[in-house]
């Protein structure tokens, strides 16, 4: 996927075939985030999901923790 770093966050937008696919993806990301105790900021509109990752405890900046979760999210789609 095409993650971009902006304003202390890693951001990526995902598009799916329909709402059900987008929601299923969010469910998988939620389970993954819970295992890593690192939770995204995100939004969903119909078939689109936007995710932003930042480490609040590191001063709202991108850390290895964010990069690892982004890579693991990408792995869900491969």
């Amino acid at each position: 996927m095409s993650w971009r770093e902006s304003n202390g966050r890693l951001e990526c937008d995902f598009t799916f075939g329909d709402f059900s696919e987008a929601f299923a993806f969010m469910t998988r990301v939620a389970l993954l985030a819970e295992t890593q105790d690192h939770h995204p900021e995100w939004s969903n509109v119909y078939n689109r999901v936007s995710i932003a990752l930042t480490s609040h405890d590191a001063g709202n900046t991108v850390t290895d923790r964010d990069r690892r979760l982004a890579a693991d999210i990408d792995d869900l789609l491969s």
Side-chain angles (χ1 to χ4, degrees):
M1 297 283 43
S2 181
W3 290 89
R4 60 200 175 279
E5 191 168 338
S6 175
N7 297 320
R9 300 164 16 139
L10 278 180
E11 301 174 336
C12 194
D13 300 310
F14 303 86
T15 303
F16 299 91
D18 57 24
F19 176 77
S20 183
E21 286 181 23
F23 195 86
F25 168 73
M26 291 178 70
T27 300
R28 292 192 310 270
V29 171
L31 294 170
L32 179 63
E34 191 66 15
T35 65
Q36 295 184 21
D37 193 30
H38 192 52
H39 304 94
E41 297 176 23
W42 58 11
S43 66
N44 164 245
V45 177
Y46 182 57
N47 69 334
R48 297 181 318 269
V49 177
S50 297
I51 297 178
L53 303 173
T54 189
S55 292
H56 301 289
D57 58 347
N60 294 319
T61 188
V62 176
T63 66
D64 288 340
R65 222 172 149 192
D66 302 300
R67 290 182 185 91
R68 182 173 48 254
L69 182 54
D72 290 345
I73 290 169
D74 286 348
D75 287 346
L76 292 174
L77 298 173
S78 57

